[in-house]
Amino acid sequence: MPPKGDPGARGGRGRGGPPRGGARGGPPRGGPSGAGARATTSAPPSGALPGEHVQAVGVRRSGYGTAGRAINVLANFFSMASPESNIHHYDVVRLTVLIIDASLLLAAGTIIILPSEKTLPARLNMELIDHLQKIDAPDVFTPPAAYDGRKNMFAPRELPLGPSGSQEFNVSLSDETTRGSPGENTSGRGPRVYKIRLTKVATINPEVLHRFVQGQQSHDNTVLTALTALNVVVRMEPTMKYPFNVRSFFTDRETKDIGSGLVLWRGYFQSVRPAIGRLLVNVDISTGTMYKPGPLLDLCLDFLGKPGQHNILSPRRNMPDRERIRLQRFITGIRIMTTYSGERVRKTPRVVKKLSSAGASDLSFTMRDGPTMTVAQYFQKLLNRPLRFPDNICIEVGSGALLPLELCTVPPGQIMRKQVPPEKTKDVLDFATKKPQDRLQSIINGLSVLAYGQSEYVRQFGITVDETAGPLNVPARVLAPPKLRYGQDSPQPVVAPANGAWNMIDKRFYRPASIERWIVVVYERQQRFNQQAAQDMINGLLRGCSDVGMRVNDTSPLVTWQNGQGRIAEQLRAAGNECFQQTKQRPTLIVVVLPDNGNDIYTAVKHFGDVTVGVATQCLKSSKCFRAKAQYFANVCLKMNVKLGGINTIPDPQSVTVLTDPRNPTIVMGADVIHPAPGSDGRPSFTALVGNVDSNSAKYVATSRVQGSREEIIQDLKDMSKHVLTMYMKYRQAVEKKTSDIGPTRLIFFRDGVSEGQFKQVLEKELEALKAACAELKINPKITVIIVAKRHHVRFFPKQPGDADRSGNCPAGTVVDQVVAHPTEFDWYLQSHGGLLGTSRPAHYNVLYDDNKFNADSLQSLSFALCHVYARSTRSVSIPAPVYYADIVCSRAKNHYDPQGTVDFSDSATQADTSQAEGALEAYRRGFKPLHANMASLMYFS
């Protein structure tokens, strides 16, 4: 079976995508000439809706939105004509690895067959199939078939595999036998032979795709396989030429060395997507993080930030074990080449498995013929090559061989598939960020690298991509933003956002909190942040609070300086006790001034405040709050007010009646799951659910849980949603003084981060969990489930300069639900935020379930309104606030663990095997401390 959906990103949509022709029935479907005729950019008429008989995974589209000001935008899609003739699908199985052992062959005339359980890298699989097609069996594979690097092969004609439709081939990527390396057993071993079996699975008629994009065919496995086939075909040529990563490949035309042994390469993303009435190719630029090519020794020193200091890699000279483990995590899995005599280089790269704990002069091994020697002696005596740095550590490769770092080189174009170090994130963003027009030009230029017209695979399958028409012209609408209401005593209580932003001049918070007693704890050195700096910061905060209507009863808080190396919790507790002794009141707020790189202190402060004692904490960076302007303190007040139980602003009830209708009390939930970084085996995933408790959808509560590593479906959703629903009903009763109908009649559930292949699971498990929670609480709200995706490559560019905002992006509120939307399902793209740097990314909304029978305009305006109630800023954000909050709660999960405990979140935590990983998960579950009861009803996560 092909992978579910377009194999890829969290929010991509293997089955969703751009559009394909005009109205139903579309232009003619001929070969290449038909493609040109079909590459129309007009939107389908509003009547072009999927047929009644068509089954969708989610809600079938019933109409298009009409609200807002009409504009035209360009989208990074290109029209595509699909093949006319059948595509033949084959299953690829690598049965065994045969290693022909010459010594055994002489003795007994036999060969050894070693079963190979492990999955080979996609790059090696591609090379094997390429060798098979071009050298071992070219007569079978003419014209050549396209292969996905795993299990699926697609051919433009039926392969002659005999009556059974199955055949086995032996493939050898022959390499000269080498002399071997210390610890490696190579006695008489010949070339490795791979046995590959191809089996015919199905014949794909491309007509199913034509029917699907015309809204006349349900989304089933035949459609999925046909889309997978087209994607494999268009990716085949660049995949054979360049380093690749699922749907992107990278070239060294544009690179940037960012230090730490890393180089960025510009890449190109492509994906075939079905859309309304047509097929399209989505093309975007992407960024690949590569290992720096050249000597492995230099790469290691670069990573450690000590270029040229070769001695630091010597255990004899006290190389710290922590640094060795950190380096090992970085280079594990990297391919290296070796050269011993200077000119003869081994053709096949070896893969780094781990680092030795001793240097080459201290590592001994026994030769087959008896003598024991060190790695350093081996290279000096047998290869006449004394090592320059005999005390340095070695790498161990897959075969068990030990190789000194100085004899290894790193070939170019190797993708680093681990998490980029946090301190390099800014460099990656700087390289990846391009202004809209520059990005669009870069995408158009990328077509020459993708070279659809030159690809033999694309041509042989009868696919054509219309590059001459350029990026697709798409009708869009700009929605009017909701008005926002501030406190009644504000000189200007109602504000209308413009370009996704508004300011708080002359505004008081809708419900300002008050600060009874507070303390300030400074973790910056007193020489750098002295008494005067602290007083200036206090004065700035007091002025900021006064401007927004927050009452501060304590104008001279206790200030104390502490050492960040100490026990943070004890220091904070002592400061609180001192405040109590002086004033007979416990502080309700702790303001903490952090040094740069104070992440560990931050985590400990949050654990103390949110989990241990239940007091609001506000962290400030010393470099930011030193001599800060009023705007800085105004932004801090946005966060402090909601942490203390206040409400900053609410959407004006008249402008979002769908949210504030008193006859239909509505709870809006946001849910997310965060997974461990690549390579972090044994770490769990964390889940979060956030929901409003007030009638204005402005005040939210949250709950968080631990679950199995990389499980996307939320396991504890029933209990989590019961908690949030209970909090909602309690608030309506106790605070809003409602006496009847305290339960919601509508529940709108926004779910972040689910790929299309998992939509069905969300319906089967998460929707059922929501229904079960409601049943147990004896309430029966009508439920709407909407997936919000940000991890996709759809971008919109203003067609007319007059339609752009100041950053050159489409204006906040730009919504697109035609042409590039899904052919059958209820989805849309909404760019809800104003542009700042680079090209804005719209959020992609997909309605999976809708008891409320909302129309497109209602859901689009509701989603846009919710992007304006994010408490931390006076700008609209890119996704609805509850989803944004859920994302923050997930990322703060580590704050639930005792910083003095045994759970390790550091980068040097070693990888675990499966049994260790299960034990580690249990330890993570046990160590996860619940939120303090004081914080449960507050927006502690703001």
Side-chain angles (χ1 to χ4, degrees):
M1 281 300 298
K4 286 272 182 237
D6 198 330
R10 207 172 139 190
R13 60 178 9 265
R15 80 183 179 295
R20 180 188 185 185
R24 274 223 173 147
R29 290 191 80 241
S33 58
R38 192 164 73 247
T40 171
T41 57
S42 62
S46 56
L49 293 169
E52 290 292 321
H53 65 285
V54 170
Q55 301 254 306
V57 175
V59 176
R60 194 173 60 232
R61 187 187 301 283
S62 59
Y64 297 94
T66 57
R69 170 172 64 90
I71 64 169
N72 275 326
V73 297
L74 296 174
N76 57 338
F77 290 102
F78 299 86
S79 287
M80 171 184 181
S82 60
E84 294 303 306
S85 49
N86 289 346
I87 297 172
H88 303 274
H89 181 197
Y90 295 86
D91 185 44
V92 182
V93 178
R94 185 173 46 80
L95 291 177
T96 52
V97 180
L98 288 71
I99 296 176
I100 301 176
D101 190 318
S103 60
L104 284 172
L105 204 58
L106 289 171
T110 59
I111 59 170
I112 294 178
I113 298 177
L114 300 176
S116 178
E117 300 294 330
K118 65 180 183 183
T119 306
L120 290 181
R123 168 63 68 199
L124 178 54
N125 286 338
M126 298 298 290
E127 287 171 7
L128 286 169
I129 295 296
D130 192 50
H131 200 280
L132 170 65
Q133 296 203 81
K134 291 179 178 168
I135 294 164
D136 294 322
D139 50 326
V140 175
F141 299 96
T142 304
Y147 173 55
D148 72 351
R150 290 283 170 238
K151 297 271 292 170
N152 298 293
M153 179 183 276
F154 299 97
R157 69 168 185 126
E158 185 149 14
L159 302 179
L161 301 181
S164 67
S166 184
Q167 190 173 338
E168 289 180 7
F169 302 88
N170 288 345
V171 182
S172 167
L173 300 175
S174 59
D175 184 15
E176 57 184 327
T177 53
T178 59
R179 196 148 167 197
S181 310
E184 183 173 31
N185 178 9
T186 58
S187 62
R189 181 179 286 183
R192 180 172 293 193
V193 178
Y194 296 89
K195 195 181 222 14
I196 294 167
R197 182 202 290 151
L198 294 185
T199 307
K200 176 79 180 278
V201 177
T203 300
I204 302 164
N205 184 345
E207 180 60 26
V208 297
L209 277 183
H210 180 59
R211 288 178 49 74
F212 178 61
V213 297
Q214 297 296 342
Q216 293 301 308
Q217 159 95 25
S218 299
H219 186 276
D220 56 19
N221 270 339
T222 58
V223 171
L224 210 82
T225 310
L227 283 173
T228 302
L230 297 191
N231 272 302
V232 171
V233 171
V234 298
R235 289 174 196 153
M236 187 70 185
E237 183 93 4
T239 296
M240 295 309 300
K241 284 188 191 169
Y242 306 105
F244 63 91
N245 187 3
V246 189
R247 296 184 291 177
S248 289
F249 62 90
F250 308 94
T251 79
D252 57 1
R253 289 184 176 191
E254 193 182 341
T255 65
K256 179 185 179 183
D257 187 333
I258 59 170
S260 295
L262 299 174
V263 181
L264 302 178
W265 284 26
R266 178 74 65 223
Y268 297 94
F269 164 94
Q270 55 179 346
S271 177
V272 176
R273 320 259 295 192
I276 300 165
R278 68 182 97 180
L279 279 177
L280 299 173
V281 184
N282 179 205
V283 179
D284 194 19
I285 57 173
S286 58
T287 300
T289 309
M290 306 289 178
Y291 290 104
K292 188 175 181 177
L296 179 61
L297 183 60
D298 292 353
L299 175 75
C300 293
L301 294 172
D302 260 13
F303 173 73
L304 296 170
K306 304 282 176 64
Q309 300 178 38
H310 303 100
N311 293 337
I312 68 155
L313 293 169
S314 162
R316 282 189 179 186
R317 295 175 193 243
N318 302 321
M319 179 186 190
D321 217 33
R322 188 180 177 89
E323 287 292 86
R324 181 180 63 81
I325 291 169
R326 196 166 74 88
L327 177 60
Q328 178 171 286
R329 281 174 68 85
F330 177 66
I331 66 167
T332 300
I334 195 171
R335 296 193 309 279
I336 54 101
M337 308 295 279
T338 51
T339 171
Y340 298 148
S341 58
E343 64 279 340
R344 194 192 68 206
V345 180
R346 176 189 172 109
K347 288 198 194 92
T348 310
R350 298 156 175 243
V351 177
V352 176
K353 198 162 73 178
K354 62 182 180 184
L355 287 171
S356 65
S357 49
S361 54
D362 294 315
L363 280 171
S364 299
F365 67 99
T366 304
M367 302 281 287
R368 280 179 66 82
D369 47 5
T372 296
M373 61 175 71
T374 67
V375 173
Q377 288 167 342
Y378 173 87
F379 284 101
Q380 179 151 11
K381 289 181 184 172
L382 291 189
L383 296 175
N384 193 24
R385 173 70 194 268
L387 297 177
R388 289 170 60 211
F389 309 107
D391 292 341
N392 282 3
I393 53 178
C394 298
I395 59 163
E396 185 179 318
V397 294
S399 61
L402 294 162
L403 302 169
L405 295 175
E406 63 188 84
L407 299 184
C408 305
T409 60
V410 180
Q414 288 193 64
I415 300 171
M416 205 269 298
R417 298 180 193 275
K418 304 177 179 80
Q419 193 170 32
V420 174
E423 66 275 12
K424 294 295 170 192
T425 307
K426 184 176 183 303
D427 296 306
V428 176
L429 288 174
D430 288 346
F431 182 75
T433 301
K434 276 186 179 285
K435 288 183 176 165
Q437 289 311 311
D438 296 343
R439 189 183 193 100
L440 186 58
Q441 194 54 53
S442 202
I443 288 165
I444 293 167
N445 296 345
L447 292 175
S448 64
V449 183
L450 291 160
Y452 294 117
Q454 283 83 59
S455 165
E456 187 184 359
Y457 303 97
V458 171
R459 277 206 315 276
Q460 292 291 354
F461 278 83
I463 297 169
T464 57
V465 176
D466 187 359
E467 299 174 31
T468 53
L472 211 59
N473 184 23
V474 178
R477 294 169 287 115
V478 182
L479 302 180
K483 290 188 168 64
L484 301 173
R485 187 170 284 282
Y486 280 89
Q488 286 302 330
D489 56 343
S490 306
Q492 190 191 355
V494 177
V495 61
N499 299 320
W502 61 99
N503 68 51
M504 278 199 56
I505 295 170
D506 291 340
K507 310 283 187 307
R508 309 277 185 275
F509 285 148
Y510 180 77
R511 188 184 298 155
S514 60
I515 301 171
E516 297 299 329
R517 187 67 59 194
W518 59 305
I519 58 174
V520 177
V521 183
V522 184
Y523 282 100
E524 184 60 276
R525 294 202 319 276
Q526 197 156 356
Q527 299 91 312
R528 296 189 61 174
F529 198 85
N530 59 22
Q531 187 74 47
Q532 187 57 50
Q535 192 55 51
D536 290 346
M537 183 270 292
I538 289 166
N539 294 340
L541 266 180
L542 290 171
R543 275 195 301 275
C545 288
S546 169
D547 289 346
V548 295
M550 291 176 71
R551 198 174 79 254
V552 184
N553 295 333
D554 177 8
T555 56
S556 51
L558 171 77
V559 183
T560 170
W561 276 259
Q562 297 292 344
N563 178 359
Q565 303 301 314
R567 290 182 173 266
I568 309 297
E570 289 174 14
Q571 294 164 347
L572 296 175
R573 196 182 291 279
N577 288 340
E578 190 180 339
C579 172
F580 182 71
Q581 283 163 8
Q582 290 181 12
T583 66
K584 295 293 176 278
Q585 285 181 300
R586 298 265 176 215
T588 53
L589 171 70
I590 304 174
V591 172
V592 178
V593 178
L594 297 175
D596 289 337
N597 302 318
N599 292 349
D600 290 345
I601 305 173
Y602 173 86
T603 302
V605 167
K606 291 299 170 188
H607 182 79
F608 178 80
D610 296 347
V611 174
T612 309
V613 297
V615 63
T617 52
Q618 180 59 55
C619 294
L620 311 176
K621 264 195 176 165
S622 62
S623 55
K624 293 279 176 68
C625 67
F626 182 68
R627 294 181 179 163
K629 293 187 168 63
Q631 182 64 52
Y632 173 81
F633 291 110
N635 288 340
V636 172
C637 289
L638 290 171
K639 298 170 60 127
M640 289 197 320
N641 189 52
V642 293
K643 285 177 187 173
L644 293 164
I647 296 175
N648 294 352
T649 181
I650 64 166
D652 186 50
Q654 272 78 47
S655 62
V656 269
T657 49
V658 70
L659 268 182
T660 54
D661 178 359
R663 291 161 306 176
N664 281 304
T666 302
I667 185 166
V668 183
M669 293 182 180
D672 195 12
V673 181
I674 191 170
H675 301 298
S680 302
D681 296 341
R683 304 248 182 116
S685 291
F686 295 103
T687 61
L689 181 70
V690 173
N692 65 301
V693 289
D694 65 328
S695 298
N696 296 306
S697 307
K699 185 176 171 68
Y700 291 83
V701 297
T703 181
S704 181
R705 298 281 196 282
V706 191
Q707 70 181 30
S709 187
R710 298 191 170 85
E711 286 180 12
E712 183 54 61
I713 297 303
I714 301 172
Q715 304 301 318
D716 295 332
L717 186 60
K718 187 177 87 167
D719 287 344
M720 295 165 80
S721 48
K722 264 179 77 175
H723 168 80
V724 171
L725 285 162
T726 303
M727 298 288 282
Y728 173 88
M729 293 191 287
K730 279 184 182 170
Y731 187 91
R732 278 175 63 78
Q733 207 166 14
V735 180
E736 296 185 346
K737 307 300 181 195
K738 300 284 194 290
T739 52
S740 60
D741 300 328
I742 56 170
T745 62
R746 294 192 294 211
L747 190 164
I748 301 172
F749 181 75
F750 285 97
R751 177 68 157 89
D752 189 12
V754 182
S755 64
E756 279 116 4
Q758 294 166 316
F759 283 2
K760 210 160 182 195
Q761 282 177 277
V762 171
L763 286 170
E764 288 167 357
K765 295 186 178 166
E766 296 189 358
L767 174 62
E768 291 311 307
L770 288 172
K771 288 179 175 177
C774 293
E776 286 187 18
L777 292 171
K778 297 184 169 49
I779 56 175
N780 187 27
K782 291 184 174 176
I783 298 174
T784 297
V785 176
I786 305 170
I787 305 294
V788 188
K790 283 284 294 206
R791 300 217 175 161
H792 58 75
H793 282 269
V794 176
R795 300 291 183 276
F796 299 120
F797 307 87
K799 192 173 181 191
Q800 302 300 331
D803 288 331
D805 65 11
R806 279 185 304 188
S807 67
N809 281 289
C810 295
T814 299
V815 66
V816 172
D817 62 0
Q818 303 197 33
V819 181
V820 296
H822 193 273
T824 60
E825 303 201 353
F826 186 1
D827 75 331
W828 68 90
Y829 293 91
L830 170 63
Q831 199 160 298
S832 52
H833 55 303
L836 288 171
L837 298 170
T839 307
S840 298
R841 183 194 326 227
H844 186 196
Y845 296 79
N846 205 300
V847 185
L848 287 197
Y849 185 82
D850 183 26
D851 258 351
N852 289 292
K853 303 288 186 280
F854 285 120
N855 64 23
D857 281 333
S858 295
L859 278 183
Q860 288 165 11
S861 70
L862 177 148
S863 302
F864 188 38
L866 286 169
C867 296
H868 291 76
V869 296
Y870 180 64
R872 286 195 199 185
S873 70
T874 55
R875 303 180 67 86
S876 57
V877 288
S878 56
I879 52 179
V883 193
Y884 208 134
Y885 290 142
D887 187 72
I888 294 169
V889 173
C890 277
S891 63
R892 290 172 59 128
K894 68 170 185 272
N895 300 348
H896 287 261
Y897 292 92
D898 183 351
Q900 303 295 324
T902 55
V903 172
D904 188 1
F905 280 96
S906 69
D907 278 347
S908 56
T910 51
Q911 294 182 339
D913 61 26
T914 311
S915 60
Q916 281 177 309
E918 286 168 7
L921 176 61
E922 197 44 50
Y924 278 107
R925 282 191 203 279
R926 281 197 310 272
F928 189 84
K929 302 281 189 289
L931 196 63
H932 193 281
N934 290 359
M935 311 307 285
S937 61
L938 300 172
M939 292 173 65
Y940 69 94
F941 44 82
S942 182

